[in-house]
Amino acid sequence: MSPRPWSANLDMYRRVPTDLLEGTKRGSILSVMAIVTMTVLFLLETKAFFGVRLAAEMTLDSNDDAQIRINFNITMMDMKCEYATIDIKSDLGTHQNITQHVNKWQIDAEGVRQRYMSRNRHQTDIAMSDPTVTQTIDQLHEDGVDAVDLDERTINYAKKTQEYLFVDFFASWCSHCRDLAPTWEVLAEVMDIAAEESLDKMTEGEAHKYSDEDYNEAKKVTLPVMVGKVDCVNHATVCQQEGIMAYPTLRMFVDGQKYADYNGHRTVIEMVHWLSAIETKHKSEKGTENKIDSTVHDIAHEFTLDEKPEEKEWAEKIKKHRLMFSATNNWNDDDHPGCQLSGFLNVDRSPGNFHIIARSKSKVFDPRVTNVSHEVHHLSFGMPRPADFAKKNAGEVPPHFVESTQAMNGNVYVTKNLHEAHHHYLKVITTNVDVPQAYSRNNNKQFTTAYQILPSSQLSLFPEDTVPEAKFAYDLSPIAISYKKTYMNWYDYVTKLMAIVGGTFTIVGLLESGIHAATSKKNR
């Protein structure tokens, strides 16, 4: 008999005769369990094979762009749009009053956006004083003070009794206010004399301390305008009540109510032109042509004939121009408008900050009343296209990815004490996202790169002579994160299917053998 070939001996799948096999109920149950288990595992692996997984990879940031874009929409709760200014500061330089790509909207006290304030523009230079006024304030005061000093009590009587009241709210330490003082005194003198009934007779042959042009313009103002001034250092409560944030503030009151603030050139002619326009507009609104030709001093004299003691006291103060102090402190919502600033900034890719501060070329702000409470509606870095893609395809980015790129959205920061402001520190992490061709514009990096933000905020204290500012400091992390979509290889899929089949048969076989051994021993 010839020996069997070696291939016949290599048989890993030898068959057992059918008559030696015995079916059992337990075997049937375990077989069903094995089939169900393999089917479930097979479906799960098939789903994973056709699915997408996100893999995160950390590398050094290799972005070589010179600048990064900051998108913002921030509301300053108590700052006028005409004063709200955005500055940028980085290790490579400082840029003040950024105007490009910045829009402003005025916000009322209820937080409702009122109107479009136009694009942010560079603040224009104005004349701080009248160059034709060459005398000093002391020289002008030698023949008396014409600009009436007002305080907490007298300003209320002035509003009550004067149809037109033009007030300079100033601070003694303000350089712009000191420059304006002689011009303001001349304006008061011009207005007093121009309002006299017998103007031509009284001034015939007299030499003026101001130009004839100034004087002739003043005569066009047919109603007397009382010109006054309030020292906000000695009478801080008056200025707080009027909502004065910067010095000097030149405010016109008509019929006891705030009418408008003057922001033009601070020359006598320009201010008189403005007063004349105010009177004309007011008369057209009232529909009256009544004219009052008596001077402020004549009106004050009439007050002395009134029997009321408080009005006599007011008349004396008009004559003597004395200052008194009485504390009152009221809040008027209309005097505290807000400003919504939105747009984007292109900043250097280096540590730096941008801050929002109240600034004017023609005014000096009082740090005590500068409030930089703000709400961040939106703040993000980079182009918005990757974030838009992430919003529409949430399954292709990690959970909460969009929120991490806009971590400060909806936050409100209110300062309740003087000389305080919130400062925000932002760690910016470059994040590369797989963006389809429709979003990426030929895989341009600025359209495939998003920026996650790790924010922290704190309340900072400022020196009493420093105007507070809302500061947003940013620092780019040297580590970048890349999210890539990965798929299961076909050979991994086949290997796992075979492992499921073999593993299930093995485990179920071991389980059946154990059960059989236990039951057989018990039957013995």
Side-chain angles (χ1 to χ4, degrees):
M1 183 176 180
S2 61
R4 297 178 62 185
W6 67 270
S7 58
N9 294 325
L10 182 62
D11 187 357
M12 295 183 295
Y13 302 100
R14 298 185 180 187
R15 301 182 62 184
V16 179
T18 305
D19 54 355
L20 297 179
L21 298 176
E22 180 182 3
T24 62
K25 185 177 181 179
R26 181 178 65 247
S28 299
I29 295 174
L30 292 175
S31 297
V32 171
M33 292 175 57
I35 293 173
V36 171
T37 301
M38 287 188 292
T39 301
V40 172
L41 294 176
F42 174 79
L43 293 175
L44 293 176
E45 284 298 329
T46 302
K47 180 181 179 180
F49 175 71
F50 289 104
V52 179
R53 292 183 300 173
L54 287 175
E57 179 183 8
M58 290 192 298
T59 59
L60 290 177
D61 187 4
S62 59
N63 195 318
D64 56 359
D65 292 338
Q67 291 186 321
I68 183 175
R69 169 170 164 160
I70 302 178
N71 312 290
F72 64 92
N73 186 348
I74 302 172
T75 293
M76 305 303 295
M77 300 179 182
D78 190 10
M79 184 180 295
K80 295 181 179 180
C81 283
E82 61 185 294
Y83 301 143
T85 304
I86 298 179
D87 295 344
I88 296 177
K89 183 178 181 180
S90 70
D91 291 345
L92 302 181
T94 301
H95 306 279
Q96 291 187 339
N97 192 20
I98 302 301
T99 59
Q100 190 176 18
H101 310 305
V102 178
N103 299 323
K104 295 179 180 179
W105 285 266
Q106 193 74 34
I107 305 295
D108 66 7
E110 299 297 328
V112 179
R113 191 164 70 179
Q114 297 297 298
R115 58 192 177 92
Y116 181 59
M117 292 294 293
S118 78
R119 293 188 181 275
N120 192 22
R121 294 173 294 188
H122 287 291
Q123 297 174 348
T124 57
D125 292 325
I126 66 172
M128 299 299 178
S129 60
D130 195 329
T132 63
V133 178
T134 58
Q135 292 177 295
T136 65
I137 189 65
D138 293 331
Q139 292 173 335
L140 292 171
H141 284 172
E142 288 178 357
D143 59 351
V145 179
D146 291 280
V148 182
D149 289 318
L150 301 173
D151 59 20
E152 289 84 345
R153 299 176 62 183
T154 56
I155 192 173
N156 292 326
Y157 284 110
K159 291 180 183 180
K160 177 181 177 182
T161 57
Q162 300 296 318
E163 187 172 10
Y164 298 102
L165 176 64
F166 197 23
V167 182
D168 172 19
F169 294 91
F170 70 97
S172 56
W173 46 262
C174 168
S175 59
H176 296 328
C177 302
R178 292 194 294 268
D179 293 339
L180 176 64
T183 302
W184 193 255
E185 182 64 21
V186 170
L187 174 67
E189 186 174 354
V190 170
M191 297 307 299
D192 280 349
I193 297 180
E196 294 287 352
E197 291 183 345
S198 304
L199 181 64
D200 293 334
K201 294 181 180 180
M202 293 179 60
T203 58
E204 185 176 358
E206 294 183 5
H208 304 301
K209 298 177 181 178
Y210 36 83
S211 66
D212 292 338
E213 186 180 7
D214 294 347
Y215 178 73
N216 292 330
E217 291 294 334
K219 289 195 296 183
K220 296 179 182 179
V221 183
T222 57
L223 296 182
V225 177
M226 178 178 177
V227 178
K229 55 187 178 181
V230 176
D231 187 344
C232 291
V233 175
N234 296 328
H235 305 287
T237 53
V238 177
C239 300
Q240 291 174 6
Q241 184 175 357
E242 295 295 337
I244 305 301
M245 298 179 57
Y247 309 120
T249 294
L250 310 181
R251 180 161 296 176
M252 183 68 172
F253 296 91
V254 177
D255 293 331
Q257 302 296 323
K258 173 187 172 182
Y259 195 84
D261 288 348
Y262 179 75
N263 294 309
H265 292 293
R266 296 169 187 168
T267 63
V268 176
I269 292 179
E270 292 287 343
M271 289 189 284
V272 170
H273 274 311
W274 186 76
L275 292 175
S276 179
I278 292 294
E279 287 189 8
T280 301
K281 180 180 178 181
H282 179 240
K283 286 189 294 185
S284 64
E285 292 173 352
K286 291 180 62 176
T288 178
E289 294 296 332
N290 293 336
K291 298 181 180 181
I292 304 174
D293 296 325
S294 58
T295 64
V296 173
H297 298 290
D298 292 333
I299 296 174
H301 178 69
E302 293 174 3
F303 293 158
T304 62
L305 302 179
D306 198 301
E307 295 181 355
K308 295 182 180 180
E310 59 271 18
E311 293 190 351
K312 291 182 179 180
E313 181 181 0
W314 154 239
E316 290 298 323
K317 291 182 181 299
I318 290 295
K319 290 182 178 180
K320 299 179 180 179
H321 301 171
R322 292 164 53 190
L323 294 173
M324 296 183 64
F325 183 86
S326 176
T328 58
N329 188 11
N330 297 319
W331 180 277
N332 184 1
D333 285 340
D334 294 335
D335 295 331
H336 298 270
C339 183
Q340 182 176 354
L341 301 99
S342 65
F344 65 90
L345 306 171
N346 291 316
V347 301
D348 298 322
R349 286 184 64 92
S350 63
N353 68 78
F354 74 94
H355 50 267
I356 303 175
I357 189 172
R359 180 187 292 116
S360 173
K361 289 186 176 181
S362 59
K363 298 179 184 293
V364 178
F365 286 86
D366 188 346
R368 297 174 300 174
V369 295
T370 303
N371 184 358
V372 291
S373 298
H374 56 279
E375 178 179 0
V376 181
H377 304 289
H378 176 82
L379 181 65
S380 64
F381 288 74
M383 299 296 292
R385 193 171 292 265
D388 293 341
F389 167 75
K391 289 180 181 178
K392 298 176 182 178
N393 303 272
E396 300 193 29
V397 294
H400 309 295
F401 174 78
V402 176
E403 290 81 357
S404 68
T405 62
Q406 307 167 4
M408 298 188 68
N409 285 16
N411 291 355
V412 180
Y413 303 92
V414 178
T415 56
K416 299 181 180 180
N417 300 314
L418 301 178
H419 310 294
E420 290 183 349
H422 283 90
H423 284 187
H424 313 285
Y425 300 90
L426 313 174
K427 176 63 73 172
V428 182
I429 303 173
T430 303
T431 307
N432 299 312
V433 183
D434 267 346
V435 178
Q437 187 73 20
Y439 285 85
S440 64
R441 294 189 184 180
N442 298 324
N443 293 322
N444 191 326
K445 283 190 297 183
Q446 64 176 340
F447 293 98
T448 61
T449 302
Y451 295 89
Q452 299 185 72
I453 302 174
L454 298 178
S456 63
S457 302
Q458 67 178 25
L459 192 62
S460 300
L461 299 179
F462 283 78
E464 294 185 359
D465 58 348
T466 302
V467 177
E469 61 186 21
K471 182 178 179 182
F472 297 81
Y474 52 86
D475 183 19
L476 277 78
S477 172
I479 302 298
I481 299 177
S482 298
Y483 291 108
K484 295 183 179 180
K485 291 181 289 187
T486 60
Y487 303 88
M488 185 184 298
N489 296 317
W490 66 269
Y491 48 83
D492 290 333
Y493 174 65
V494 173
T495 302
K496 290 183 179 182
L497 291 184
M498 296 177 66
I500 289 173
V501 175
T504 302
F505 268 105
T506 302
I507 296 300
V508 173
L510 292 174
L511 180 62
E512 197 280 334
S513 298
I515 296 174
H516 176 72
T519 55
S520 299
K521 189 174 182 179
K522 182 178 179 181
N523 292 333
R524 292 178 184 176

